[in-house]
Amino acid sequence: MNPTSAADGHALPVAGGRATAGEVWRLSRGHRLRLTAVGLVGVAGTAVDLIPPVAVGYLVDRVRAGTADPGTVLTVTGVMALSAVLGAAGTAVTVAHATRIYHTVLAALREQLVSRAMRLPQHLVERAGTGDLISRSSDDVTAVADAAPAVIPALTVTAFTIAVSLAGLAALEWPYAAAFAVVLPVYALAMRWYLRTGPRVYRAERAAMSARAQQILESQRGYATVLGFGLAEHRHRAVLTASWDVAVHAIRARTVQSMLNARLNLGECLSLAAVLVVGFVLVDHRLSTVGGATTAMLLVLRLLGPVNQLLFVVDTLQSALASLSRMIGVVTIPVTETPGMPTPPEEPADAAERGTAVRLRGVAFHYDGGPPVLDDIDLDIPAGQHLAIVGPSGAGKTTLASVIAGVHLPDAGTVTRPRRTAVITQEVHVFAGTLRENLTLAAPGATDRDIRAALETTGADDLLDLSADALDTLIGTGGHPLTEAQAQQLALARLLLADPELAILDEATAEAGSAHAERLDRASEAVLAGRSGIVIAHRLSQAAPCDRIVVLDAGRVIETGTHDELLTAGGTYARLWAVWQAGQRLGAGR
């Protein structure tokens, strides 16, 4: 049986029970000695709590025998008070240390989840839906963290209390323990029913939450498209449907919870009745004393609370385990790539001698279930040269850039590229934080002087004037909003600071509009200066200055050469150039 499984053919995998337990055990490394100490303190603390029932039973027998006096009462009261203090201290120490270990392990798991999520192949995330990944790193993490107040006492103090109390009951009079044991099948049947029903219901609830997150995320990301095509009502219905689906599954989960509670109440009633009957018979036959029966009843009453709490918290535990399995399902996805992209193959010796920066041989690629997007691509890019990739919409330009960058792995063929490769796409993201933090993401060691030089080189030094805080100006969410042109300049300055061997600009200046096109083109040229570069050209004016141009159509290279050579050849590029120039003249005449 596979350690992980998927809910369907597209969702990210969910770890099985064995894989989840193995990962938790691995994460507990370094904490196991502390866990042992916590267990010992917990057992000692709950053992002390056995003293009050025994003391009450002792007092009852002394009263019936007529040998009790004020000193006896004071002694019993003092012993009970002292045991209560010691028991509470043991409980506090146990819960506090267990909680600290719990959250330490959860923090380590959360860090692994984020780290692995950043390394997942893009096609895997796209196929599953970004909402699924976001739900696992937010909703599921919250569910596991929020379970701590209920789960930790149940797995520590409550479990110890049950074990110690059962042992004390058996030591007092074995018939009392036998009477309680007779009722245990009621609890066992309740748990059997719940374990068959609960996990399935909670998995469905978490899956519904993921689907809702995906619908909300798509509506937010596609806001402009939703408005442009009048799809607001359609998207509203989609989100509403997903939200109602969550509500239905949540009601089912709460129904299961209520049915479990009813079964636990039945077990409690039967337990008390059984011990009372046994106590009556034993006292009647002088096999036990009234004090002994009183102690037994107090122990059973002391047991019922923890038993119900432990079984009832299984409801919370199942929900947390469902989320934990989804988190570990991501953590245990095999990923051999280094952060950001796959490790490129070693550059062949002959390529190094000729100074080849990028080499593609027989590269083919297709998206899941789709036709080939790239077909038998052979391409060499000499070190230090700039290559433009042009072609009609749908020709495979962005896919080719992604394969070269390592975002997608080719289905066939080989790709060789520099290890230090950076990509800027037309979807530029501004992170919430300071201007300095945004620029040093890929170059943590950059000084303020380096940052200012990069901003000046890319013509983005006006970003320093957004506020009096200069590099400490907050931008992004909650800060100064940036225009599309400013965001693209920021991305170009970030790339300049990263100083890659190969820079890939995938229509990186396409969204800023014609008003800023010339300025952004100059910034792009400054960024590419002195390094190998690939430009996916949205405007053919970006392609013309490049050392070589590749024309792509239907996933194949149909033309290659310099700007002048391709114009002279009178092929596809020449026609694209003529159409583009006509559009420029038309736009200028308006």
Side-chain angles (χ1 to χ4, degrees):
M1 182 175 180
N2 293 333
T4 58
S5 61
D8 55 56
H10 299 290
L12 293 171
V14 177
R18 181 176 299 178
T20 299
E23 186 64 20
V24 171
W25 176 252
R26 190 188 65 78
L27 288 168
S28 70
R29 189 178 301 145
H31 305 287
R32 294 169 192 167
L33 184 60
R34 292 174 61 196
L35 284 170
T36 302
V38 167
L40 293 175
V41 172
V43 170
T46 53
V48 169
D49 285 338
L50 288 179
I51 295 176
V54 175
V56 170
Y58 169 79
L59 182 60
V60 168
D61 284 339
R62 291 291 298 269
V63 169
R64 283 180 57 82
T67 58
D69 55 26
T72 304
V73 175
L74 288 175
T75 301
V76 170
T77 303
V79 169
M80 292 175 62
L82 179 61
S83 66
V85 172
L86 293 176
T91 299
V93 170
T94 301
V95 172
H97 283 277
T99 301
R100 178 175 295 182
I101 296 171
Y102 181 95
H103 283 288
T104 300
V105 172
L106 178 59
L109 177 60
R110 184 167 55 240
E111 290 176 3
Q112 288 191 21
L113 172 65
V114 174
S115 175
R116 184 57 55 91
M118 297 299 292
R119 299 171 61 193
L120 291 178
Q122 184 172 329
H123 71 276
L124 183 63
V125 178
E126 290 175 347
R127 185 178 59 187
T130 311
D132 188 9
L133 185 58
I134 290 177
S135 176
R136 295 182 190 226
S137 57
S138 56
D139 291 343
D140 289 326
V141 172
T142 301
V144 176
D146 289 349
V151 170
I152 291 174
L155 296 182
T156 54
V157 177
T158 301
F160 297 146
T161 299
I162 292 172
V164 173
S165 297
L166 282 174
L169 194 63
L172 177 68
E173 294 285 351
W174 69 264
Y176 293 122
F180 185 79
V182 168
V183 185
L184 288 180
V186 175
Y187 291 101
L189 290 174
M191 290 312 302
R192 182 183 178 188
W193 167 82
Y194 178 74
L195 291 176
R196 286 182 174 180
T197 308
R200 173 172 49 82
V201 172
Y202 281 111
R203 282 196 297 268
E205 184 184 20
R206 293 299 173 195
M209 288 181 176
S210 292
R212 179 183 62 183
Q214 181 67 25
Q215 293 293 343
I216 294 173
L217 186 64
E218 288 181 353
S219 297
Q220 291 175 337
R221 284 188 170 179
Y223 179 73
T225 302
V226 170
L227 291 183
F229 285 87
L231 300 176
E233 182 61 28
H234 176 270
R235 293 308 306 168
H236 173 72
R237 288 196 302 269
V239 173
L240 189 63
T241 300
S243 298
W244 272 113
D245 195 33
V246 172
V248 169
H249 284 90
I251 291 173
R252 289 177 181 171
R254 301 296 82 75
T255 301
V256 169
Q257 188 180 74
S258 298
M259 294 174 70
L260 174 63
N261 196 31
R263 286 165 168 79
L264 296 182
N265 288 338
L266 175 62
E268 181 176 339
C269 178
L270 293 176
S271 299
L272 291 172
V275 175
L276 277 173
V277 170
V278 169
F280 175 82
V281 171
L282 290 177
V283 173
D284 186 56
H285 288 78
R286 299 182 182 280
L287 298 175
S288 181
T289 64
V290 174
T294 302
T295 299
M297 281 301 300
L298 291 175
L299 286 175
V300 171
L301 285 171
R302 185 172 180 273
L303 263 172
L304 291 177
V307 167
N308 286 347
Q309 182 181 354
L310 182 62
L311 298 183
F312 194 74
V313 86
V314 171
D315 181 78
T316 302
L317 185 59
Q318 285 294 323
S319 178
L321 284 175
S323 294
L324 184 64
S325 297
R326 283 163 50 83
M327 292 169 63
I328 292 177
V330 174
V331 170
T332 54
I333 294 176
V335 178
T336 57
E337 299 89 348
T338 57
M341 62 189 62
T343 301
E346 293 295 331
E347 189 173 277
D350 59 340
E353 290 172 2
R354 293 197 301 269
T356 302
V358 176
R359 168 173 287 181
L360 280 68
R361 289 293 180 267
V363 169
F365 179 83
H366 75 284
Y367 293 99
D368 290 337
V373 181
L374 301 176
D375 186 14
D376 196 26
I377 301 289
D378 290 331
L379 188 63
D380 286 326
I381 304 176
Q385 284 200 7
H386 302 157
L387 175 76
I389 301 176
V390 301
S393 178
K397 303 185 297 295
T398 294
T399 301
L400 179 57
S402 297
V403 169
I404 293 175
V407 174
H408 294 308
L409 299 178
D411 299 323
T414 60
V415 179
T416 301
R417 65 183 168 277
R419 290 189 177 274
R420 290 191 295 113
T421 298
V423 186
I424 298 181
T425 68
Q426 56 183 305
E427 297 179 0
V428 177
H429 183 72
V430 178
F431 293 88
T434 65
L435 180 59
R436 179 187 291 104
E437 289 169 343
N438 267 268
L439 289 167
T440 56
L441 284 171
T447 65
D448 287 0
R449 182 176 180 180
D450 297 330
I451 297 172
R452 292 176 184 275
L455 290 173
E456 184 177 349
T457 301
T458 55
D461 46 339
D462 56 345
L463 293 177
L464 297 171
D465 300 327
L466 289 174
S467 77
D469 294 326
L471 288 175
D472 293 318
T473 300
L474 290 175
I475 58 176
T477 305
H480 284 269
L482 301 186
T483 66
E484 290 179 345
Q486 288 174 325
Q488 289 165 345
Q489 286 177 304
L490 180 71
L492 290 169
R494 185 187 294 147
L495 185 144
L496 193 63
L497 287 168
D499 193 24
E501 297 175 64
L502 172 66
I504 301 176
L505 307 184
D506 182 7
E507 299 187 357
T509 62
E511 298 293 333
S514 58
H516 303 280
E518 185 177 348
R519 184 179 182 183
L520 287 169
D521 284 345
R522 289 199 304 269
S524 299
E525 291 174 7
V527 166
L528 293 176
R531 60 172 51 89
S532 306
I534 298 175
V535 178
I536 308 301
H538 176 76
R539 301 183 302 276
L540 292 189
S541 60
Q542 299 170 300
C546 291
D547 300 302
R548 191 155 59 100
I549 300 170
V550 166
V551 182
L552 209 63
D553 192 13
R556 286 180 170 272
V557 176
I558 58 173
E559 291 181 8
T560 181
T562 66
H563 173 73
D564 292 335
E565 289 171 349
L566 293 177
L567 288 182
T568 301
T572 300
Y573 179 79
R575 290 194 295 273
L576 290 173
W577 180 262
V579 171
W580 182 79
Q581 280 195 316
Q584 292 297 106
R585 288 193 295 269
L586 181 61
R590 289 179 178 176

